[in-house]
Amino acid sequence: MSRLKKLLMDESKYQITVPIIAILLSFLIGTLVMLFTGINPLGAFKALIRTMTGLNLEQMFTDKMFNMRYVGEFLTTAIPITLTGLSVAFAFRTGLFNIGAEGQLLVGATAATLASVLLDLPAFIHVPIVLLSATIAGAIWGMVPGYLKAKFNVHEVVVTIMMNYTALYFTNYVLKALPGSTLIKTVKSNPSGTLESDFLSSITNGSRLHWGIVVVALAIVAFWYIIEKTSFGFELRAVGFNPDASRYAGMKVNRNVMFSMMIAGAFAGLAGAMISVGTFDYGRVLVGFENYGFDGIAVALLGGNTAIGVMLSGLLFGGLKSAQPLMQANGVPMEIAKIISSLIILFVAMKYGFEMLLRNYAEKHEKEGK
Amino acid sequence: MGKNTIKLVLVLMLVVAMLSGCAQSTAGDMTIGLVTDIGGIDDKSFNQGTWEGIVRFAEDNNLAEDDYKYIQSESDADYLPNLETFSDSGLDLIVAPGFLFFDAMTEVAAKYPEQKYLLIDSVVDASNVASAVFAEHEGSFLVGVAAALKAQDAGKDTVAFLGGMDFDLIQKFEAGFEAGVYAVDPNMTVLVDYAGAFNDAQKGQTIAAKFYDQGAYVIYHAAGGTGNGAIKEAKDRVINGEDVWVIGVDKDQYSDGIYEGEKSVILTSMMKRVDVAAYTVAEKVLNGEFTGDTLVFSLANGGVSIPAENPNLTAEWTATIQEFSDKVVSGEIVVPVLPVRLQ
């Protein structure tokens, strides 16, 4: 017990303890909500465990005990939101709020579809081209608000929100204009230009898991490297802490703002490719946003805008999202998972409150000790 | 302490697992699962209608509360995992409403060849998928009769058809409607136009305005969201003292056309009874008669119909419509599936 106490009081670990407290509290309240509304909370937890580990607690020691397909689908769900999480987190580090991950994702997804439907090349060159198109398209979509911010000091939140809608309607127009498209989807992509993987699918009992898992891993490493290990990343962080001081120190603040938004856009664009040539093998004409960008904000917030944090929170939110079919099959309405994920955000946003409480607790403890 | 704690947790997990295993109830007579599209369970359309059919079946056959359930999809990326989740738990029948499920259903049917599925309003050619399609032309024939009777009564000679997109499915609506109108009065004019989209209410309203200006008295729309524009135009005109009508599609749209109190511009509606389709196929599964065929839901088996309550139709007209319906069922009238302009 004393070890736990020490951990709670350690100010340098707040970055880890506060999100964990937020998660635990959210699950606790979620459980209470289920109890009060007459839903069996075990159903929700069993679903979550089965989704994230493949282990079926209801059929232990039978041939149905393990089903890796759930793990595959869980990872497939986590892939794009981890990438949009990286996108939002990257901009956050430079003091920018990228609400536009949704739009950057859509243009990225569409660029990937275009490259994979229209070109017919050997896979080893086709896949990089597809991913590169998505990255560049996302970067361009992120560059516009970055440029406007740097040049005219137009707030990036306003521009990115508007550009989300522009992206939605623009990509729908482009997708429908492709030869062979119907009202709801394009023709199938060339298999050489998709991330589909028979190997990953077969080891996860036929799930849709694709090579995007490797792309995400590389993206997480790239994020960490740029932010923590390069002087460019150092400048970005400096701009995020205090733009005026950075300018005084001789850093090109405006240029950094634009680059930061471009890189954020690139991550989101890559997330789009994960969906359009990973989860699906055709481009989809959307009726509305699918909220990958907003999930990304949640992921970045919980992950404390660090590479490793985003990875972990991407897994958690991916798990909550992909557990929904099983939860519903267990009689837990889809809203419960949403309540839990919203509470996590709420509590993480109350970070300073928690830190204050922890500090008070530490002070009190110290006095008693004396 | 570490090792002991882990041991304790593992033992507890096993105990919980075993208890929950015991708590599982023995299987009831039959289990049914519905996967909704992104419209949700209360969409007042296909999802809700199908669910109502399942609930009615469950109540008629005293199924336990746990034996019929639904999973709502949040995006189309969910269709496949949702269908797979139900398939894993080995339900007796899994239902998916709407053509949007075509791809996911094709895939899941191949993966679970022993599982029985029902796909509504689209056809997947697999031995374990029953596909329910509707004789839209027959239902459209009846509302064509209604439109002509109403127009005749008001001394008008023009009605109109507003289609979503010009392809074979929607042409069936047009053909049936036209035939119904001509069956009452061969000298009537049927105006036809297609909006080119199912979600363009603006375009729907523009075309409806054009129809009404050309003297159309009743518009039958088979255009989904586009048709809402036609309903809006009719409401606007009625509020301004004009006398015009709209015929709804897929479900009873009476409530959509209400402009004042209980009064609605919806004359009647051509209903696709997805609930009947779900009920019928569930019954087949229960009786061991399930086959992976395409089932046609027509006037004869109540798969298409006009609403039971039609406040804007007189009893006399309803009787006439019923006569025509009987003739279609008996085969005395064969409703065409191709409109006159394409014959």
Side-chain angles (χ1 to χ4, degrees):
Chain A
M1 209 58 216
S2 66
R3 248 198 286 179
L4 183 66
K5 262 184 196 166
K6 220 180 261 172
L7 186 69
L8 282 176
M9 286 186 297
D10 188 349
E11 205 156 323
S12 65
K13 295 224 168 71
Y14 280 179
Q15 217 191 350
I16 300 168
T17 44
V18 170
I20 290 179
I21 294 175
I23 294 167
L24 293 178
L25 267 181
S26 314
F27 274 96
L28 183 71
I29 296 181
T31 310
L32 289 178
V33 170
M34 284 186 266
L35 286 174
F36 278 125
T37 48
I39 299 159
N40 186 359
L42 271 183
F45 289 108
K46 275 185 209 157
L48 205 56
I49 289 171
R50 191 171 182 201
T51 302
M52 296 176 81
T53 65
L55 184 66
N56 187 352
L57 292 181
E58 284 179 353
Q59 302 195 310
M60 293 297 269
F61 312 116
T62 68
D63 55 336
K64 288 184 173 174
M65 183 169 144
F66 264 110
N67 188 344
M68 286 304 284
R69 207 199 68 242
Y70 287 98
V71 182
E73 290 295 339
F74 151 54
L75 293 174
T76 309
T77 313
I79 287 170
I81 62 175
T82 307
L83 280 169
T84 51
L86 288 178
S87 165
V88 176
F90 200 91
F92 260 138
R93 290 305 274 275
T94 324
L96 297 165
F97 193 18
N98 180 21
I99 297 201
E102 187 80 34
Q104 294 146 12
L105 175 143
L106 290 175
V107 290
T110 305
T113 302
L114 289 180
S116 112
V117 167
L118 296 178
L119 301 175
D120 193 3
L121 300 161
F124 72 92
I125 179 104
H126 201 174
V127 171
I129 288 180
V130 167
L131 294 179
L132 201 63
S133 335
T135 314
I136 293 174
I140 292 174
W141 216 254
M143 189 182 77
V144 177
Y147 176 79
L148 292 174
K149 169 91 178 181
K151 193 83 178 169
F152 305 109
N153 202 23
V154 185
H155 204 288
E156 74 278 5
V157 166
V158 180
V159 182
T160 48
I161 288 180
M162 289 196 293
M163 286 191 66
N164 283 345
Y165 287 94
T166 318
L168 177 64
Y169 295 112
F170 172 67
T171 54
N172 278 353
Y173 175 79
V174 171
L175 291 173
K176 277 193 269 190
L178 273 180
S181 291
T182 66
L183 267 182
I184 52 166
K185 62 182 184 191
T186 69
V187 293
K188 283 208 184 282
S189 308
N190 282 318
S192 61
T194 68
L195 296 165
E196 269 172 25
S197 158
D198 288 338
F199 168 69
L200 290 175
S201 178
S202 69
I203 60 167
T204 54
N205 192 14
S207 82
R208 291 178 295 180
L209 189 62
H210 50 82
W211 288 122
I213 192 88
V214 178
V215 177
V216 175
L218 293 177
I220 291 169
V221 173
F223 180 101
W224 169 80
Y225 186 77
I226 296 175
I227 288 281
E228 308 288 347
K229 294 285 156 191
T230 62
S231 57
F232 172 61
F234 176 77
E235 282 194 23
L236 291 185
R237 279 185 289 153
V239 172
F241 282 126
N242 190 335
D244 296 323
S246 312
R247 190 173 289 118
Y248 188 71
M251 294 174 188
K252 292 184 174 130
V253 171
N254 284 349
R255 192 202 64 171
N256 285 345
V257 162
M258 203 170 95
F259 278 156
S260 172
M261 280 304 286
M262 279 178 72
I263 295 176
F267 280 125
L270 208 47
M274 299 301 114
I275 299 161
S276 67
V277 297
T279 314
F280 290 93
D281 59 354
Y282 49 84
R284 299 168 304 138
V285 179
L286 298 174
V287 257
F289 294 125
E290 296 188 308
N291 290 344
Y292 289 107
F294 300 107
D295 288 339
I297 297 175
V299 169
L301 254 175
L302 179 65
N305 302 320
T306 62
I308 190 83
V310 166
M311 184 185 88
L312 294 175
S313 70
L315 288 174
L316 177 68
F317 280 104
L320 278 170
K321 244 176 115 110
S322 53
Q324 290 199 1
L326 272 175
M327 284 199 187
Q328 292 187 61
N330 286 353
V332 180
M334 68 194 297
E335 285 74 14
I336 292 291
K338 282 187 185 164
I339 288 176
I340 294 176
S341 22
S342 320
L343 283 172
I344 294 177
I345 303 307
L346 191 72
F347 288 135
V348 170
M350 285 161 55
K351 189 171 95 182
Y352 292 109
F354 281 116
E355 285 179 2
M356 208 174 69
L357 284 177
L358 286 176
R359 232 171 259 134
N360 282 348
Y361 175 73
E363 272 170 28
K364 216 169 142 193
H365 199 260
E366 236 165 67
K367 268 180 204 162
E368 275 170 16
K370 277 171 192 168
Chain B
M1 92 160 216
K3 255 186 193 168
N4 282 332
T5 322
I6 292 172
K7 272 184 198 160
L8 189 68
V9 169
L10 281 176
V11 168
L12 277 177
M13 269 173 71
L14 284 182
V15 171
V16 168
M18 282 169 174
L19 284 180
S20 52
C22 300
Q24 244 189 333
S25 59
T26 46
D29 285 322
M30 187 177 159
T31 48
I32 312 175
L34 165 72
V35 175
T36 78
D37 65 24
I38 49 177
I41 195 72
D42 48 6
D43 66 344
K44 292 189 182 168
S45 185
F46 272 30
N47 295 324
Q48 190 173 347
T50 309
W51 180 240
E52 281 165 6
I54 293 172
V55 171
R56 206 171 67 231
F57 173 82
E59 281 166 358
D60 290 353
N61 292 286
N62 292 321
L63 296 191
E65 194 92 344
D66 288 351
D67 288 342
Y68 55 105
K69 45 198 167 190
Y70 58 80
I71 298 180
Q72 302 195 61
S73 303
E74 230 184 318
S75 81
D76 48 3
D78 298 341
Y79 293 162
L80 187 62
N82 288 353
L83 286 170
E84 286 175 339
T85 300
F86 269 154
S87 307
D88 277 338
S89 50
L91 302 181
D92 293 318
L93 177 66
I94 297 170
V95 187
F99 71 97
L100 289 173
F101 281 96
F102 178 83
D103 287 308
M105 186 57 94
T106 310
E107 201 164 321
V108 83
K111 240 186 231 179
Y112 297 86
E114 299 300 313
Q115 174 69 51
K116 298 185 183 79
Y117 298 97
L118 163 63
L119 177 62
I120 290 177
D121 214 23
S122 185
V123 179
V124 165
D125 189 16
S127 62
N128 56 336
V129 181
S131 308
V133 296
F134 296 86
E136 289 94 352
H137 53 298
E138 293 186 4
S140 300
F141 180 83
L142 294 192
V143 297
V145 170
L149 290 171
K150 181 75 186 170
Q152 257 185 348
D153 183 57
K156 306 284 169 88
D157 62 355
T158 309
V159 294
F161 173 80
L162 165 61
M165 295 187 81
D166 197 353
F167 65 102
D168 50 2
L169 174 67
I170 306 302
Q171 284 159 6
K172 271 166 84 182
F173 289 81
E174 181 191 346
F177 179 69
E178 206 174 50
V181 173
Y182 293 151
V184 175
D185 183 352
N187 296 320
M188 276 214 184
T189 309
V190 180
L191 304 171
V192 174
D193 202 351
Y194 282 83
F198 287 103
N199 55 359
D200 193 345
Q202 199 83 42
K203 188 92 184 278
Q205 186 163 5
T206 313
I207 294 176
K210 187 189 78 183
F211 280 154
Y212 288 135
D213 287 341
Q214 286 173 335
Y217 186 56
V218 182
I219 296 176
Y220 173 40
H221 89 85
T226 303
N228 293 340
I231 297 174
K232 182 168 185 305
E233 179 66 21
K235 280 200 245 181
D236 289 350
R237 288 187 180 235
V238 170
I239 290 167
N240 288 325
E242 277 184 59
D243 180 22
V244 293
W245 298 90
V246 177
I247 293 173
V249 79
D250 287 351
K251 55 180 180 179
D252 183 358
Q253 288 199 299
Y254 190 85
S255 58
D256 295 344
I258 288 178
Y259 54 92
E260 186 192 302
E262 292 286 296
K263 289 192 216 162
S264 171
V265 296
I266 300 293
L267 183 65
T268 181
S269 301
M270 198 294 276
M271 289 163 62
K272 275 170 131 167
R273 300 292 301 271
V274 286
D275 55 330
V276 172
Y279 192 102
T280 312
V281 174
E283 205 164 38
K284 278 179 188 278
V285 173
L286 186 65
N287 298 336
E289 294 161 354
F290 177 91
T291 48
D293 297 330
T294 301
L295 303 161
V296 179
F297 288 87
S298 61
L299 281 180
N301 54 18
V304 290
S305 70
I306 61 169
E309 302 277 322
N310 293 285
N312 288 326
L313 296 180
T314 66
E316 194 186 325
W317 297 341
T318 317
T320 314
I321 293 169
Q322 189 55 49
E323 275 169 36
F324 275 106
S325 175
D326 294 342
K327 282 183 191 166
V328 173
V329 171
S330 69
E332 196 180 327
I333 296 178
V334 177
V335 183
V337 291
L338 262 191
V340 178
R341 67 186 168 100
L342 295 174
Q343 277 167 12

